[in-house]
Amino acid sequence: MKDVQFGELPLLKFDQEVWICVYSPDGSSFAVLLSDNTINVYGTSNWERTCVLDDLSSEVTSIDCSPNGDRIVLGSRDFTVRVWNVATGTCLYILIGHTREVFDVVYSPRGNMVLSASGDGTIQLWDVETGDCRHILSAHDVIKHVKFSPRGDSIASGHTFTARLWDVTTGECRNILIGHAELLRQISYSPQGDLLATVDADGEAKIWEVETGKCRHTLQGYGSLVFSPNGHQIASSDVWSTVQLWDVETGGCIRELPGKGTNIYSIAFSPQGEQIVTGGYDMTVRLWDVETGECRQIMTGHAGSVYDVLFSPKGDCIASVSRDGTVRLWSVGLGRIRKISKNHSDSVMSVKHSPRLDQIASCSQDSTIRLWDAETGVCCRTMIGHTGFVYNIAYSPRDDLLVSCSADMTVRLWEIESGTCRHIFTGHPGKVWDVAFSPNGNQIASASDDNTVRLWNVDTGECQHVLTGHSSSAWNVTYSPQGNQIASSDFEGTVRLWDVETGACQNTLTGHTWTVDRVVYSPNGNQIASCSRDKTVRLWDTKTGVCTHIFIGHRNVVMRVVYSPRGNQIASSSDDNTVRLWDVESGECRHTLIGHKKKISAIAYSPRGNYIVSWADNGEARLCDVETGECCWTIDYGATKSIWTDLSYNLVWMSSDVDAFITGDGDGSVRVWDVTEEGGQCRVRMRWTSTNGQLMVEDARIQDVKGLSHLNAGLMKQRGAVGDPVIRLGLREASKQVIAMTSVVSKLKSSSNAAALNLPSPSAADLSTTHSEQQTEG
């Protein structure tokens, strides 16, 4: 094992969507509410599940843990409040009194009372020990949110457009806070209890003085809001991309934390107030330094939006909740001195290998180009200059230059050795979608949103030809193997063939009825293949422009087409989640490769043409045998962000003695995978990944390994280890088994045939050994 990612602990993975997560105030337990209406409770010392609460009669709307973590209270749509014992998994009380669904429940700071808010317009205050209702606070309005003050002497409630403050002892309403014009969706006390923050559905946040009911500050356009532990600051996330820190006293903005243009759904202060954690649409968890505003760590791994983040009460762990059905746990202490500096900060759009195969280039939506050592994965250089998405890159045949095209309407030519920009080609008045080097390296072709293709001189930087004729965006451009012809495709479905020397259009290929996303030359240059969103693939004669074959079979748009190395076969991939292999001569479909669950972003043949690899939007790659069509190997690490399929060149096979392919992912990572044959079996291993410090254990077999804890076994298996280790029983588990076996034996003794059964039972030595091992492990 090497390069363990920042503080990564085994993830909690579920088949259902995660709805609510909550730590107990003492940090000893962690509860997860799932969409199937079950609650899983974990001990935070080893993250083993201690109990499952599944005997729930109706949908649970809210949960809260008691201060010492031994009980959980649930609010439900069946109008009831239920109190559960965490250790035994039994229901202690069913509190009945509400006449509509219960929207929120919360324990008092001392744990002796529970509050419940309901759609019946009441708040009910319950005695935890007796189950009696002490007060019914009537507001004659639906109550969605309720909070105890930090001292437990007052209550705040959120209604349709107002908030109310109540006295716990008398049950009287002290103040009605009026000012919001939209539904309230959040209320929270300051740590001192002297202020109350409210946020409505329109993003308006207000800070109120609890004593007077006066509105001190109003903030516009915010998604969520949280007080710092000392109460001097407020952190708020706006509806787009930033977190702002505000001075509570003055209402002035102290600092902005940029979120890189992505919606931020959740924020939380560390208990010490030194750090802020955010989660959002970009599927990352980001850790920020409050003092400097610096992003200290970017944590990747989720395959869906992160909609909740929580610090543990001690501040040593972060829990992140995602739409991908997982809760990921991160050790904060390990992350304070490290930063991710290698990965792209946004989706990778294209990856290419150098002609000498010793280097890999990647470009990204983060506007940068990065060069990597192909063997070690070390980032050699970052090229900065573009001001928009970088869509594609290409190495020069002489391996000394790299060309890039961007949404900033420019083409840039870079010197690989120094990383400097030699030329900036300007002239396109629209985004430049594609770029290519001529086979002799003297010319560059670029295709643009302005409906033109331009040819550039590499030495002088001058534009030699502007190729006009497309009636819509020129989407794709490629040189013939001989370099005397160019093929380009456009958004409306037309392919044009151009003479490189004169810039004249030789042929216009019509027949497709929708966008042609890719056009490729055959290895001998006599033929081109085009794939279209009209669900077809067409083969054309490059001299006459005649369509020789129309391949029909895909049930959705065809986004990729590629020739085999010998040119006798082509492969096409589609949004119908399949790859089809076609015979060039006969036009027959040889194989339909199925198995992907998401649309396929890229395909590539191996250099010998015996394998084809396909890469899907969910991060799954499938390596298939071309001759048989059988899947030889599947990689599924889970993409952390969907890939922009229209423009990604995010899969390239390296033409070398050792088969390997390169992938670029939506999480900004670049990975190299080695393909080997062992004993007639194909095997794929990750050579390296640009993701900072991911655990790599592809070769580790842990079958029947002894001594691994549940924690380490889970971490290794989620990162690719194979097999099931022998996990030692802890004292609690051993005791449960003994109790269960004793119960069985007792029942069997009372039956008439008990003597005929030979039952195993644990010896005293066994129990002593188990107890000894548990003490050693502790």
Side-chain angles (χ1 to χ4, degrees):
M1 295 187 298
K2 64 176 181 177
D3 298 335
V4 177
Q5 185 174 342
F6 154 83
E8 185 181 11
L9 301 173
L11 58 83
L12 309 179
K13 192 169 185 178
F14 307 97
D15 294 331
Q16 305 292 325
E17 186 175 350
V18 180
W19 278 0
I20 302 174
C21 289
V22 61
Y23 273 100
S24 63
D26 67 351
S28 62
S29 61
F30 184 79
V32 181
L33 171 64
L34 302 178
S35 58
D36 64 358
N37 215 41
T38 62
I39 297 174
N40 292 261
V41 182
Y42 296 84
T44 57
S45 60
N46 56 12
W47 289 101
E48 293 181 10
R49 187 166 55 190
T50 57
C51 71
V52 178
L53 312 181
D54 54 6
D55 186 20
L56 308 175
S57 61
S58 183
E59 180 182 330
V60 176
T61 57
S62 59
I63 63 175
D64 194 26
C65 291
S66 63
N68 61 8
D70 64 340
R71 294 182 181 184
I72 289 179
V73 62
L74 313 176
S76 174
R77 292 196 183 277
D78 66 359
F79 313 163
T80 68
V81 177
R82 295 170 186 254
V83 180
W84 294 77
N85 185 299
V86 172
T88 63
T90 56
C91 182
L92 302 177
Y93 298 109
I94 300 178
L95 310 179
I96 300 173
H98 286 294
T99 58
R100 295 287 301 275
E101 58 264 55
V102 177
F103 289 119
D104 200 8
V105 290
V106 62
Y107 265 98
S108 64
R110 290 194 296 142
N112 61 330
M113 291 183 289
V114 166
L115 275 178
S116 58
S118 170
D120 63 9
T122 69
I123 302 167
Q124 301 205 13
L125 185 62
W126 307 88
D127 187 291
V128 170
E129 290 303 319
T130 65
D132 295 334
C133 180
R134 290 188 180 181
H135 291 297
I136 299 177
L137 316 180
S138 298
H140 307 294
D141 189 9
V142 173
I143 306 173
K144 290 289 187 75
H145 313 282
V146 67
K147 290 287 187 293
F148 267 107
S149 67
R151 293 193 301 269
D153 57 347
S154 68
I155 295 167
S157 58
H159 305 257
T160 306
F161 303 110
T162 65
R164 293 178 182 240
L165 301 175
W166 309 81
D167 185 279
V168 169
T169 304
T170 64
E172 295 179 354
C173 179
R174 293 177 176 176
N175 277 308
I176 301 177
L177 311 181
I178 301 173
H180 285 287
E182 298 292 337
L183 298 175
L184 290 190
R185 56 183 178 82
Q186 181 189 342
I187 61 171
S188 57
Y189 275 99
S190 66
Q192 293 78 17
D194 58 335
L195 298 174
L196 185 77
T198 57
V199 183
D200 67 23
D202 196 37
E204 183 179 74
K206 291 181 178 290
I207 312 300
W208 309 83
E209 295 177 357
V210 170
E211 185 65 29
T212 64
K214 177 184 176 182
C215 180
R216 180 182 290 187
H217 304 300
T218 299
L219 311 175
Q220 297 290 342
Y222 295 97
S224 59
L225 183 148
V226 61
F227 281 97
S228 65
N230 61 15
H232 296 163
Q233 292 180 345
I234 291 173
S236 61
S237 63
D238 66 21
V239 295
W240 296 113
S241 62
T242 62
V243 172
Q244 293 182 310
L245 298 180
W246 303 86
D247 185 279
V248 169
E249 188 64 31
T250 66
C253 181
I254 303 170
R255 185 172 292 106
E256 284 192 1
L257 313 180
K260 299 295 182 183
T262 181
N263 291 7
I264 296 172
Y265 294 150
S266 180
I267 56 176
F269 269 100
S270 66
Q272 297 79 18
E274 300 170 351
Q275 295 172 315
I276 287 175
V277 63
T278 62
Y281 179 77
D282 67 351
M283 311 181 199
T284 68
V285 179
R286 295 172 185 252
L287 191 64
W288 306 84
D289 186 280
V290 171
E291 185 66 27
T292 65
E294 178 187 13
C295 182
R296 302 295 300 273
Q297 190 67 37
I298 302 174
M299 292 159 269
T300 62
H302 283 297
S305 302
V306 179
Y307 60 88
D308 198 10
V309 287
L310 306 88
F311 269 100
S312 64
K314 294 180 181 178
D316 58 345
C317 185
I318 292 171
S320 55
V321 187
S322 171
R323 298 291 180 193
D324 63 8
T326 67
V327 177
R328 286 185 179 261
L329 309 165
W330 313 89
S331 178
V332 176
L334 298 179
R336 291 186 178 178
I337 60 173
R338 299 184 62 188
K339 287 177 61 179
I340 286 182
S341 58
K342 293 166 59 177
N343 241 29
H344 285 289
S345 62
D346 212 328
S347 299
V348 174
M349 301 300 290
S350 177
V351 289
K352 297 291 170 60
H353 64 75
S354 64
R356 291 197 299 264
L357 306 177
D358 60 343
Q359 192 180 78
I360 292 167
S362 60
C363 64
S364 168
Q365 290 184 14
D366 67 5
S367 307
T368 69
I369 300 156
R370 293 176 186 257
L371 303 182
W372 314 84
D373 185 284
E375 186 61 32
T376 65
V378 172
C379 183
C380 312
R381 186 165 287 106
T382 300
M383 297 172 175
I384 300 174
H386 283 296
T387 58
F389 291 2
V390 183
Y391 292 129
N392 201 13
I393 49 178
Y395 276 96
S396 67
R398 292 188 291 269
D399 211 357
D400 58 338
L401 299 171
L402 188 79
V403 65
S404 59
C405 62
S406 170
D408 64 10
M409 300 183 287
T410 69
V411 175
R412 288 178 178 251
L413 186 63
W414 308 85
E415 295 181 357
I416 291 175
E417 186 65 29
S418 64
T420 58
C421 182
R422 177 184 290 187
H423 294 302
I424 301 175
F425 303 135
T426 60
H428 284 297
K431 297 176 181 178
V432 185
W433 298 117
D434 199 12
V435 69
F437 260 106
S438 63
N440 63 14
N442 296 331
Q443 193 180 70
I444 291 169
S446 58
S448 170
D449 207 27
D450 64 6
N451 305 352
T452 70
V453 173
R454 291 177 182 249
L455 305 184
W456 310 88
N457 185 288
V458 169
D459 292 330
T460 65
E462 295 178 353
C463 180
Q464 295 176 314
H465 295 293
V466 179
L467 312 182
T468 60
H470 286 293
S471 58
S472 61
S473 295
W475 204 248
N476 182 218
V477 64
T478 184
Y479 280 90
S480 66
Q482 295 78 19
N484 61 336
Q485 190 181 69
I486 285 175
S488 61
S489 64
D490 65 26
F491 189 79
E492 290 185 354
T494 299
V495 177
R496 288 179 177 263
L497 304 181
W498 311 86
D499 183 274
V500 170
E501 187 66 29
T502 65
C505 181
Q506 296 176 328
N507 278 303
T508 301
L509 315 182
T510 59
H512 285 297
T513 58
W514 201 5
T515 304
V516 175
D517 279 285
R518 195 72 72 244
V519 57
V520 293
Y521 278 92
S522 63
N524 62 15
N526 295 332
Q527 194 179 64
I528 63 170
S530 58
C531 64
S532 170
R533 300 185 190 184
D534 65 8
K535 308 177 188 178
T536 70
V537 176
R538 291 176 180 250
L539 300 187
W540 313 82
D541 186 284
T542 56
K543 292 181 179 179
T544 65
V546 173
C547 180
T548 58
H549 288 296
I550 302 175
F551 300 147
I552 300 174
H554 284 296
R555 300 188 305 276
N556 207 329
V557 299
V558 185
M559 303 299 291
R560 297 291 177 272
V561 64
V562 61
Y563 274 93
S564 65
R566 290 193 294 136
N568 62 328
Q569 188 182 79
I570 67 168
S572 58
S573 66
S574 167
D575 283 7
D576 64 8
N577 306 347
T578 70
V579 175
R580 288 178 178 255
L581 305 183
W582 309 87
D583 185 276
V584 168
E585 188 66 30
S586 66
E588 295 179 358
C589 180
R590 291 289 181 87
H591 296 292
T592 300
L593 312 181
I594 61 174
H596 280 295
K597 301 178 181 65
K598 293 289 184 179
K599 61 184 180 180
I600 299 165
S601 304
I603 51 175
Y605 278 97
S606 65
R608 290 176 291 164
N610 55 332
Y611 294 118
I612 188 165
V613 63
S614 52
W615 190 255
D617 264 11
N618 61 348
E620 179 189 44
R622 295 175 70 85
L623 186 72
C624 294
D625 186 287
V626 170
E627 185 65 28
T628 65
E630 294 180 357
C631 182
C632 307
W633 198 267
T634 300
I635 303 166
D636 187 4
Y637 67 89
T640 56
K641 188 176 180 182
S642 295
I643 301 161
W644 191 358
T645 310
D646 288 352
L647 296 168
S648 62
Y649 297 72
N650 60 331
L651 173 64
V652 173
W653 205 293
M654 296 176 68
S655 301
S656 62
D657 294 335
V658 178
D659 284 346
F661 60 91
I662 314 161
T663 59
D665 197 8
D667 65 358
S669 64
V670 177
R671 295 173 172 88
V672 174
W673 308 84
D674 286 314
V675 181
T676 58
E677 293 182 357
E678 301 172 2
Q681 298 293 320
C682 177
R683 181 175 174 83
V684 180
R685 297 181 180 90
M686 185 191 295
R687 183 188 300 180
W688 57 259
T689 173
S690 66
T691 302
N692 195 19
Q694 283 203 352
L695 182 64
M696 298 168 65
V697 291
E698 286 80 16
D699 292 321
R701 298 188 65 82
I702 58 175
Q703 182 67 37
D704 298 329
V705 172
K706 297 181 180 180
L708 276 177
S709 66
H710 282 283
L711 193 71
N712 289 330
L715 179 58
M716 292 183 71
K717 291 191 72 174
Q718 86 182 39
R719 287 297 178 187
V722 179
D724 295 307
V726 178
I727 304 296
R728 291 176 297 178
L729 287 180
L731 184 59
R732 177 181 292 181
E733 289 77 10
S735 300
K736 287 181 179 179
Q737 289 199 12
V738 170
I739 293 171
M741 293 174 70
T742 303
S743 175
V744 172
V745 171
S746 176
K747 291 179 180 179
L748 289 172
K749 283 184 177 178
S750 64
S751 65
S752 60
N753 60 347
L757 297 175
N758 184 17
L759 294 173
S761 59
S763 65
D766 291 335
L767 291 179
S768 176
T769 300
T770 302
H771 181 61
S772 171
E773 288 179 348
Q774 176 66 18
Q775 287 181 324
T776 303
E777 184 177 8

